[in-house]
Amino acid sequence: MRRYREDSSATLQSSDIGMLQRWPRLADSGVDQEFLAWLERRVRKISCSVDRIALAEMRSWHLDASTGNIKHSSGRFFTIEGLHTRTTHGTVAEWSQPIISQPEIGILGLLVRKHNGTLQCLIQAKMEPGNAKMMQLSPTVQATRSNYTRAHHGSATRYLEYFTDPQDHTVLVDVLQSEQGSWFLRKRNRNMIVLVEEDFAVDDGYRWVDVRDLRRLLRVEQLINMDTRSVLSCLPDGERGEPDTTRLLRWFTGVKSRHEVATRRVPLRGIEGWRYGPERITHDSGLYFDIVGVCVTAADREVLEWDQPMLSPRGQGVVSFVVKNFDGVAHLAVRARFQAGVLDAAELGPTVQCTPANYLQHPPRFLDYVLGASADRILFDTVLTEEGGRFYHSENRYMLIEADEDFPVALPPEFCWASVHQLEALLRHGYYVNVEARSLLACLQAVRCGA
Amino acid sequence: MRRYREDSSATLQSSDIGMLQRWPRLADSGVDQEFLAWLERRVRKISCSVDRIALAEMRSWHLDASTGNIKHSSGRFFTIEGLHTRTTHGTVAEWSQPIISQPEIGILGLLVRKHNGTLQCLIQAKMEPGNAKMMQLSPTVQATRSNYTRAHHGSATRYLEYFTDPQDHTVLVDVLQSEQGSWFLRKRNRNMIVLVEEDFAVDDGYRWVDVRDLRRLLRVEQLINMDTRSVLSCLPDGERGEPDTTRLLRWFTGVKSRHEVATRRVPLRGIEGWRYGPERITHDSGLYFDIVGVCVTAADREVLEWDQPMLSPRGQGVVSFVVKNFDGVAHLAVRARFQAGVLDAAELGPTVQCTPANYLQHPPRFLDYVLGASADRILFDTVLTEEGGRFYHSENRYMLIEADEDFPVALPPEFCWASVHQLEALLRHGYYVNVEARSLLACLQAVRCGA
């Protein structure tokens, strides 16, 4: 038995509560009864508990004596380290923070097929320890390299071979994309979509879902996970041909060139502004996030138990695009988002992306605008979570807001109008569109297909 | 007077030797007499000496007592640090090395105009301390941010305003591109080409040159500097429309995903395999490169004297593309080049890029092929240098080799055929085509225009 357990209310036995209590919006989602029955079966089948434990208590994780960095005893998976950032951008010239370092590239792979004239996606009901509602819908394959090369001695990753060796199948998407730039140090994952012609039976953990239904389900709070959203956003949708991105790229090169962001890893223990306790790591202000330990017990076909550190954000975030039609074409107000952990200082992010509680004195530009939007201008408004394998109970309110006359046509220097088609073209390349913007693009696909 | 001077034969008074002794191939370059007279004037006008001095003797540079890292007293310009790399790629699983860190983004800017139906480029005769022949032809503006924000208290950068504030001029190119991934830590520069309509007088340090003449001059050894080559390669040349890069990008994503490259900065003093002396830093084997100090005295209109550290490569490199026509379209055998200092582990590099002396036992793939090519298959063969502001007497033999039947059509996994048009399309984005490949693309433009 562990010495330290806290916040045990966070423990949720998957079968404790019914499906519609967990995801009330499912009732109005428009998906069919068969799907709901499947989801209910999965919820009842998977049993899971997640307990918060002290960092120092985690089995198989090692707190380096000299640096305090947190590492797995195998040397694989990921580490938690310190990062010092010095920048000419923004109001804070330098700071230190804990950051997750995961140099290996994982696969986020979605199998799709054409069925009765409809595109269908093979999704998975997946437990992840950071999900408050325990289970979410993930892509067919969602695996770090440590997972699929079986560093954890677990079972083989189903359907992996379609992505590592697509052979005669049609690869629709294959691109490296970044993840949360404030929490991950230069993390990137391989986003893939593979179209299969053959028919095969899938076991009950997986299910073929019409892409339109999957998009509908984005409106259900905390159901479609981040990796599914990221992959979906890369799926070419509608318009063909290559849009002209010249003006957009020039603006972006200009913004990036005006600022320096110099980062260096530092020992995690002793970074300024943070308290490194045996239980967890917190910021002196109580803001931003904590680094916590969890003990996970999960049972599906087999029982698994493991410990791991997680990043637990403080406060709910707001992630929003303001949308405006120019000559009948939907444009989004993108912001060049500078973050310490991205590969090249900045990526194209949403109009607003912040945790309001962190900015009580100087709210970020347009935050009040999106939070104050009248109901008729809210195209999308759903709380979704980020990567449940690394982030503990993260919540962002994803919003798509239609601009009214109060919203400026001429944007401030760090903002630029981009058409959906332009962003889709840039998604063929890595590291342009950040993960929050990709999530919102997936939500916008839902709005556009009438879901 | 300094305590330590070595290798004083490296000192070259710019006016010591005549222009055709310095650049024998100028005689056959086909440029007009007026240009030659201008160049001769510049050579005679600029007086310069570069002396090797001990690292510990450099004025305004500071060897950090605890780390041994080399920093400027202003905190600007660049630093020399240690880098440790662990990778699953290649035969060496981990190593440490000195590396140049320069987080700020500089501008490499070329002004162009249309004159009598011809495109002309405004080039500059520029002294750089690392150039064995002292002077090279550089773009209109070649300035680090420390330069152009005048951290060195020097004179203002001429023509800078065309690039920082192009206003009514036409921006043809504006893209961040990487530089030497084995010597620089995530360095990138802003490559810009701006088309001006207005006519203005230029002073004698600058000259309008037909782009065709500039390409011709690439065949003259050590005359066109790296920055000019890099910018020239980004100039859209010929074919219009967007080529399909899907297959090429998928191959590249696949190669990048198969390997991990994890780097971390470490203190420069004490890195394994290197000797840190008061004079210079060398590898135990005598291979790779040295970190040396130089004292520079330059006189043009004003006399400037400064010290700085430089990276001095050991041995001449070979940088070569193998070229083959498929259905009448020239394709290049690109190699995914993994290097510790690039932003995302690998970029698209030449078929061969190495210093042969470093690989006596296992020469890199296709090195023997390009060095053994018969004269009729050598499209281009000129020794050019890398960035003369950071690298001391670097020399690479740039070669374009036409494939014969012995060269495989089906390439090894880390190689892929790419058309020139495809690479030009990727040059609109940063960090795809590495600096050596960009140099070769500029050389290929020279071959293609018959220069």
Side-chain angles (χ1 to χ4, degrees):
Chain A
M1 207 54 200
R2 303 307 176 81
R3 184 170 53 76
Y4 168 90
R5 293 206 171 199
E6 70 169 326
D7 194 14
S8 62
S9 63
T11 304
L12 177 74
Q13 281 290 338
S14 169
S15 46
D16 285 353
I17 55 169
M19 193 176 58
L20 288 179
Q21 281 169 279
R22 198 178 298 222
W23 295 293
R25 289 197 191 172
L26 261 184
D28 308 317
S29 67
V31 292
D32 61 24
Q33 286 301 320
E34 226 180 308
F35 176 86
L36 294 177
W38 169 76
L39 191 58
E40 178 107 48
R41 261 197 326 274
R42 296 315 302 164
V43 167
R44 301 216 167 275
K45 174 99 189 223
I46 300 174
S47 147
C48 175
S49 75
V50 178
D51 289 294
R52 295 268 296 267
I53 58 171
L55 292 173
E57 296 283 309
M58 294 185 297
R59 291 160 299 179
S60 301
W61 291 84
H62 169 73
L63 278 56
D64 187 272
S66 67
T67 61
N69 291 353
I70 304 172
K71 298 177 182 181
H72 193 258
S73 52
S74 67
R76 302 297 300 269
F77 301 106
F78 61 94
T79 59
I80 301 188
E81 314 188 13
L83 189 76
H84 177 265
T85 303
R86 194 170 41 76
T87 179
T88 59
H89 179 266
T91 52
V92 183
E94 58 179 314
W95 72 91
S96 297
Q97 63 168 95
I99 201 154
I100 304 172
S101 171
Q102 186 170 336
E104 62 182 37
I105 296 175
I107 292 178
L108 311 181
L110 186 67
L111 281 186
V112 299
R113 68 172 182 186
K114 285 181 181 137
H115 188 74
N116 299 334
T118 310
L119 196 69
Q120 291 194 319
C121 307
L122 187 59
I123 51 132
Q124 187 187 165
K126 194 175 170 72
M127 189 287 297
E128 290 168 315
N131 300 339
K133 302 187 179 186
M134 211 52 77
M135 215 185 63
Q136 295 199 355
L137 302 184
S138 84
T140 322
V141 166
Q142 176 180 321
T144 63
R145 203 172 167 83
S146 290
N147 284 147
Y148 70 72
T149 56
R150 304 175 70 176
H152 66 345
H153 305 297
S155 47
T157 303
R158 292 291 309 269
Y159 308 113
L160 180 67
E161 65 280 9
Y162 287 94
F163 302 96
T164 52
D165 187 17
Q167 302 228 6
D168 303 330
H169 308 297
T170 309
V171 179
L172 298 180
V173 169
D174 188 0
V175 61
L176 297 177
Q177 296 289 5
S178 66
E179 296 187 4
Q180 280 73 13
S182 293
W183 297 341
F184 280 123
L185 181 59
R186 294 192 279 277
K187 162 111 181 265
R188 58 246 201 278
N189 266 329
R190 187 174 183 184
N191 285 243
M192 295 184 79
I193 300 181
V194 172
L195 175 68
V196 289
E197 303 282 344
E198 68 199 19
D199 213 12
F200 49 85
V202 299
D203 78 14
D204 205 47
Y206 297 80
R207 190 173 178 84
W208 288 107
V209 181
D210 285 1
V211 67
R212 190 153 186 271
D213 283 339
L214 194 54
R215 287 173 176 159
R216 275 198 182 111
L217 291 169
L218 280 163
R219 292 198 184 268
V220 178
E221 300 201 332
Q222 306 192 29
L223 181 61
I224 304 296
N225 83 353
M226 180 189 94
D227 296 343
T228 307
R229 303 190 309 262
S230 175
V231 174
L232 269 184
S233 75
C234 299
L235 183 66
D237 182 48
E239 292 177 82
R240 308 213 156 247
E242 196 69 20
D244 186 0
T245 53
T246 309
R247 185 190 52 87
L248 181 62
L249 291 182
R250 261 169 217 164
W251 160 79
F252 190 43
T253 300
V255 177
K256 283 206 281 192
S257 300
R258 281 199 293 279
H259 300 289
E260 264 170 60
V261 181
T263 60
R264 63 180 60 233
R265 295 166 200 241
V266 292
L268 180 58
R269 183 176 284 119
I271 54 174
E272 207 184 319
W274 294 79
R275 284 176 219 176
Y276 193 125
E279 282 84 27
R280 52 182 175 163
I281 302 170
T282 54
H283 193 260
D284 288 343
S285 65
L287 297 176
Y288 310 114
F289 58 81
D290 300 348
I291 301 293
V292 303
V294 297
C295 166
V296 188
T297 313
D300 183 358
R301 274 164 306 187
E302 52 183 329
V303 178
L304 290 171
E305 188 176 320
W306 74 92
D307 297 345
Q308 68 168 92
M310 301 196 86
L311 187 153
S312 174
R314 293 278 184 113
Q316 192 181 72
V318 174
V319 176
S320 175
F321 265 131
V322 174
V323 188
K324 190 178 170 69
N325 281 326
F326 290 95
D327 297 326
V329 179
H331 281 67
L332 307 170
V334 299
R335 177 170 194 167
R337 171 79 34 201
F338 285 81
Q339 290 182 302
V342 302
L343 270 88
D344 191 29
E347 294 188 1
L348 303 177
T351 319
V352 172
Q353 174 189 326
C354 69
T355 301
N358 295 345
Y359 298 90
L360 288 180
Q361 292 192 310
H362 304 287
R365 197 72 198 264
F366 303 127
L367 173 62
D368 292 343
Y369 182 85
V370 304
L371 292 182
S374 56
D376 59 314
R377 293 194 292 111
I378 302 177
L379 306 173
F380 188 95
D381 185 3
T382 302
V383 172
L384 298 168
T385 74
E386 308 311 310
E387 159 65 294
R390 299 289 174 271
F391 308 131
Y392 185 80
H393 293 195
S394 74
E395 288 187 2
N396 280 314
R397 183 176 173 193
Y398 280 89
M399 303 180 82
L400 292 167
I401 303 294
E402 203 162 17
D404 60 8
E405 294 101 60
D406 291 345
F407 196 81
V409 171
L411 296 173
E414 293 197 357
F415 294 78
C416 186
W417 291 110
S419 73
V420 177
H421 196 197
Q422 285 176 323
L423 294 180
E424 283 178 354
L426 294 183
L427 276 170
R428 294 184 56 230
H429 307 281
Y431 321 130
Y432 275 118
V433 183
N434 79 0
V435 66
E436 292 85 358
R438 295 202 303 279
S439 274
L440 280 174
L441 284 172
C443 300
L444 188 63
Q445 289 171 351
V447 173
R448 282 151 73 99
C449 78
Chain B
M1 206 56 200
R2 304 308 177 81
R3 184 171 53 77
Y4 167 91
R5 294 204 170 200
E6 69 168 328
D7 194 14
S8 61
S9 64
T11 304
L12 177 73
Q13 281 290 340
S14 169
S15 47
D16 286 353
I17 56 169
M19 193 175 58
L20 289 179
Q21 279 168 281
R22 198 178 297 224
W23 294 294
R25 288 194 192 174
L26 261 184
D28 309 318
S29 67
V31 292
D32 60 28
Q33 287 301 320
E34 226 181 307
F35 176 86
L36 293 177
W38 169 75
L39 191 58
E40 177 107 46
R41 261 196 328 273
R42 296 315 302 166
V43 167
R44 299 216 169 276
K45 175 98 190 232
I46 298 173
S47 148
C48 175
S49 75
V50 178
D51 290 294
R52 294 269 295 267
I53 60 171
L55 291 174
E57 298 282 308
M58 294 185 299
R59 293 161 297 180
S60 301
W61 290 84
H62 169 74
L63 279 55
D64 186 271
S66 67
T67 61
N69 290 353
I70 303 172
K71 299 177 180 182
H72 193 258
S73 51
S74 68
R76 303 297 301 268
F77 300 105
F78 61 94
T79 58
I80 300 188
E81 314 187 15
L83 188 77
H84 177 265
T85 304
R86 193 170 42 75
T87 180
T88 59
H89 179 266
T91 53
V92 183
E94 58 179 316
W95 71 92
S96 297
Q97 62 166 96
I99 201 153
I100 303 171
S101 172
Q102 186 170 336
E104 63 182 35
I105 296 175
I107 292 178
L108 312 181
L110 187 67
L111 281 185
V112 299
R113 67 173 184 186
K114 286 184 182 134
H115 188 74
N116 299 333
T118 310
L119 196 69
Q120 291 193 321
C121 307
L122 187 60
I123 51 134
Q124 186 187 166
K126 191 174 173 71
M127 189 289 296
E128 289 167 316
N131 300 339
K133 300 185 179 188
M134 210 54 76
M135 214 185 66
Q136 294 200 356
L137 301 183
S138 84
T140 321
V141 166
Q142 176 182 320
T144 63
R145 202 171 168 86
S146 290
N147 283 148
Y148 71 72
T149 56
R150 304 176 71 176
H152 67 344
H153 305 296
S155 47
T157 303
R158 292 292 308 271
Y159 308 113
L160 179 67
E161 65 279 10
Y162 287 94
F163 302 97
T164 53
D165 187 18
Q167 304 227 9
D168 302 329
H169 309 296
T170 309
V171 178
L172 298 179
V173 169
D174 189 1
V175 61
L176 297 176
Q177 295 289 3
S178 66
E179 297 188 2
Q180 280 73 14
S182 293
W183 298 340
F184 280 122
L185 182 58
R186 295 193 277 276
K187 162 112 182 262
R188 59 247 201 278
N189 267 328
R190 188 174 182 184
N191 286 242
M192 295 185 79
I193 301 181
V194 172
L195 176 68
V196 289
E197 303 281 344
E198 67 198 21
D199 214 12
F200 50 84
V202 298
D203 80 12
D204 205 46
Y206 296 80
R207 190 172 179 83
W208 288 108
V209 181
D210 285 1
V211 66
R212 191 154 186 269
D213 283 339
L214 194 55
R215 287 172 174 160
R216 275 199 181 109
L217 290 169
L218 280 163
R219 292 197 184 268
V220 177
E221 299 198 334
Q222 305 191 28
L223 180 61
I224 305 296
N225 83 354
M226 181 188 93
D227 296 341
T228 308
R229 303 190 310 262
S230 175
V231 174
L232 269 184
S233 74
C234 298
L235 182 66
D237 182 49
E239 291 176 82
R240 308 212 158 250
E242 197 70 19
D244 186 1
T245 52
T246 309
R247 186 190 51 88
L248 180 62
L249 291 181
R250 261 170 217 165
W251 160 80
F252 190 41
T253 299
V255 177
K256 282 207 280 193
S257 301
R258 281 199 294 277
H259 299 288
E260 264 170 57
V261 181
T263 60
R264 61 180 64 230
R265 295 165 198 242
V266 291
L268 180 58
R269 184 176 283 122
I271 53 174
E272 207 185 319
W274 294 79
R275 283 176 220 177
Y276 194 125
E279 282 85 27
R280 53 182 174 163
I281 302 170
T282 54
H283 193 259
D284 289 342
S285 65
L287 297 176
Y288 310 115
F289 58 81
D290 300 348
I291 301 294
V292 303
V294 296
C295 166
V296 187
T297 312
D300 183 358
R301 274 163 307 186
E302 52 183 331
V303 178
L304 290 171
E305 189 175 319
W306 74 90
D307 297 344
Q308 69 168 93
M310 301 196 86
L311 187 154
S312 175
R314 294 278 184 111
Q316 191 181 74
V318 174
V319 176
S320 175
F321 264 132
V322 173
V323 189
K324 190 177 171 69
N325 281 325
F326 290 94
D327 298 327
V329 178
H331 281 66
L332 307 170
V334 300
R335 178 169 192 166
R337 170 79 36 201
F338 285 80
Q339 291 183 300
V342 301
L343 269 88
D344 191 30
E347 295 187 359
L348 303 177
T351 320
V352 172
Q353 174 188 327
C354 69
T355 301
N358 296 345
Y359 298 90
L360 288 180
Q361 291 190 313
H362 304 287
R365 198 74 198 264
F366 302 127
L367 173 63
D368 292 344
Y369 183 86
V370 304
L371 293 181
S374 56
D376 59 314
R377 292 194 292 113
I378 301 177
L379 305 173
F380 187 94
D381 185 2
T382 302
V383 173
L384 298 167
T385 74
E386 307 311 311
E387 159 65 295
R390 297 289 173 272
F391 308 130
Y392 185 79
H393 293 194
S394 74
E395 289 187 1
N396 279 315
R397 184 177 172 193
Y398 280 89
M399 303 179 82
L400 292 167
I401 303 294
E402 203 163 17
D404 61 8
E405 295 101 59
D406 291 345
F407 196 82
V409 171
L411 296 174
E414 294 197 356
F415 294 79
C416 187
W417 290 110
S419 73
V420 177
H421 195 197
Q422 286 175 323
L423 294 180
E424 283 177 354
L426 294 183
L427 277 169
R428 293 184 57 230
H429 308 281
Y431 322 129
Y432 274 119
V433 183
N434 78 0
V435 65
E436 293 85 358
R438 295 202 302 278
S439 273
L440 279 173
L441 285 172
C443 300
L444 188 63
Q445 289 171 347
V447 172
R448 283 152 73 101
C449 79

